[in-house]
Amino acid sequence: MKVRVGINGYGTIGKRVADAVLKQRDMILAGVTKTKPNFEARMARQKGIKVYAASAEKLQAFKDAGIEVQGTLEDLLNEVDVIVDCTPGKVGATYKALYEKHKVKAIFQGGEKHEVAGFSFNAVCNYNDALGRDFVRVVSCNTTGLCRSLYAVDTEFGIRKSRVVLIRRGADPSEDKKGPINSIMPDPVSIPSHHGPDVQKVLPKIDITTSAFAVPTTLMHVHWLNLELEKEATEAEILSALSKYPRISLVSASDGIDSTAQVIEYARDLGRCRYDMPELIVFKESVKSFGREIYLTQAVHQESIVVPENIDAIRAMTNLCGTAEESMTMTNESLGLGGI
Ligand code: NAD
């Protein structure tokens, strides 16, 4: 059986999820929606992807631009089992009633509130709780990164307390109207930032306080974690625990990877499409243990880290796959994750 998937919103996340769906042997990409007949719509057609106008009023613009469209979002909804909503934050919520009307399952992204789906997802943490659900929210890039490392450390050693500082990229590379361009911006000034409570939507037992700062870079986010554990762990034990997870990659300063610029250079040299790095990156030399108190620094490629999570969410919601491990392995292999 193949699940038919549509993408509403073909931007930063949507075009990556679309490409990932095309690589799954148990999924079919039915089509994507575009609001404007721009280069991304043209590119989708060049790849053989069916394009639908986001609304009926936009159909003429596509016609005028000479870009073939199959209809509107409502036509796409008639062709799919699952719609992956990748519209900008808070826009997804406005579509929920339409998805319900068409009786399609829907995945929302981290820019929506938890309540939109009533369930926040991360594959390694709560895949089984997503089985058969009609609505799922894949948490944001920062929350996904935190969930991966906190889950790994908590499973092995137990976490009593986590204190995290997030240094956030100011904008994605294509966002030429966003900043800051010359500032370090507490985001927000008050504590906590929304990331800690968001992690708790996935891992409710984790005691976590987060503080976030936006800085003028587009490549990646960086997180500094200070964790108090239930039991003592050496640096080697922590690294060994993290290395069991294919979606966590350990990189080394002694190997020349000591910044987000070098991580991205590595992704480029690996020939990764769009220099994507969906793995959570942990800098090996940052892992420091003082018995039950540990520190580590990790980096998150914001544009791609949630892509494998969306693929696993599709499998869980449609019961395509027996276990989380089976789904994650299929996703990892099809996207070439792990092994770095
Ligand atoms: P984006 O702006 O790059 O892409 C959104 C796309 O949706 C654009 O193509 C836009 O034209 C289209 N769109 C706008 N209004 C629409 C509408 N009414 N109907 C249909 N399409 C519409 O945004 P993004 O960065 O891909 O973010 C999408 C979601 O993913 C948000 O919830 C965001 O918070 C979340 N997210 C983003 C990142 C990131 O770093 N970019 C990381 C993780 C999660």
Side-chain angles (χ1 to χ4, degrees):
M1 173 191 150
K2 290 195 180 198
V3 163
R4 300 166 304 160
V5 182
I7 311 285
N8 188 22
Y10 191 67
T12 305
I13 302 299
K15 55 191 168 187
R16 287 172 168 82
V17 175
D19 285 351
V21 168
L22 285 170
K23 291 183 175 157
Q24 308 309 310
R25 59 175 187 266
D26 50 0
M27 297 178 197
I28 292 169
L29 181 67
V32 304
T33 68
K34 278 295 301 169
T35 48
K36 286 184 284 249
N38 67 0
F39 73 96
E40 288 167 318
R42 230 177 269 286
M43 183 188 71
R45 286 303 303 130
Q46 280 164 3
K47 289 184 176 192
I49 297 173
K50 288 182 181 163
V51 174
Y52 292 76
S55 62
E57 306 86 72
K58 310 276 181 183
L59 281 169
Q60 189 59 43
F62 283 89
K63 220 178 203 175
D64 294 345
I67 296 178
E68 183 193 359
V69 283
Q70 308 294 319
T72 64
L73 168 62
E74 294 223 40
D75 297 311
L76 176 61
L77 291 174
N78 289 332
E79 300 294 324
V80 302
D81 305 301
V82 180
I83 188 87
V84 185
D85 187 293
C86 298
T87 60
K90 304 197 176 53
V91 175
T94 66
Y95 279 115
K96 186 175 176 185
L98 190 66
Y99 301 154
E100 281 176 316
K101 181 182 139 196
H102 285 265
K103 297 188 173 46
V104 299
K105 292 176 182 275
I107 296 177
F108 298 96
Q109 306 302 316
E112 305 303 321
K113 290 207 165 88
H114 167 82
E115 289 68 29
V116 170
F119 177 74
S120 290
F121 178 83
N122 176 265
V124 78
C125 302
N126 61 6
Y127 181 95
N128 288 338
D129 296 331
L131 292 174
R133 279 187 184 266
D134 288 336
F135 298 107
V136 161
R137 166 183 176 257
V138 169
V139 290
S140 74
C141 46
N142 281 302
T143 306
T144 297
L146 286 171
C147 285
R148 285 193 194 159
S149 53
L150 293 174
Y151 178 86
V153 174
D154 190 47
T155 300
E156 207 82 12
F157 312 106
I159 294 176
R160 263 195 201 161
K161 197 167 93 175
S162 12
R163 300 294 176 255
V164 178
V165 177
L166 299 95
I167 302 162
R168 301 187 43 214
R169 60 94 178 93
D172 287 340
S174 68
E175 292 176 317
D176 46 15
K177 293 180 180 59
K178 261 186 154 182
I181 57 166
N182 185 22
S183 178
I184 297 171
M185 214 170 80
D187 185 26
V189 174
S190 56
I191 290 177
S193 67
H194 71 274
H195 307 92
D198 206 29
V199 165
Q200 289 171 325
K201 296 283 191 291
V202 180
L203 296 169
K205 291 191 190 130
I206 296 286
D207 174 342
I208 180 167
T209 305
T210 52
S211 186
F213 300 83
V215 298
T217 180
T218 63
L219 299 179
M220 299 181 89
H221 307 296
V222 167
H223 302 161
W224 180 87
L225 282 71
N226 169 218
L227 309 178
E228 193 184 314
L229 306 182
E230 297 285 354
K231 59 181 187 191
E232 293 196 359
T234 65
E235 283 138 23
E237 286 169 334
I238 297 157
L239 288 169
S240 161
L242 295 172
S243 68
K244 289 181 198 160
Y245 295 82
R247 290 186 192 170
I248 300 179
S249 289
L250 306 172
V251 300
S252 180
S254 66
D255 202 26
I257 306 184
D258 55 3
S259 70
T260 56
Q262 297 309 326
V263 172
I264 294 302
E265 187 66 4
Y266 187 31
R268 285 152 52 121
D269 289 345
L270 286 169
R272 290 281 182 93
C273 180
R274 305 185 175 100
Y275 69 67
D276 282 354
M277 188 62 92
E279 297 92 341
L280 173 71
I281 299 297
V282 174
F283 295 99
K284 269 188 199 170
E285 288 88 345
S286 74
V287 175
K288 184 78 193 157
S289 164
F290 296 94
R292 283 198 296 111
E293 186 178 8
I294 68 161
Y295 294 84
L296 71 85
T297 303
Q298 62 186 34
V300 169
H301 183 230
Q302 74 280 356
E303 298 173 283
S304 64
I305 193 168
V306 299
V307 174
E309 310 297 332
N310 274 274
I311 298 299
D312 292 324
I314 295 169
R315 282 209 188 87
M317 295 165 77
T318 54
N319 295 304
L320 261 181
C321 213
T323 66
E325 287 66 34
E326 207 185 319
S327 175
M328 285 192 285
T329 301
M330 282 171 76
T331 306
N332 293 347
E333 286 177 3
S334 62
L335 302 183
L337 306 187
I340 57 168

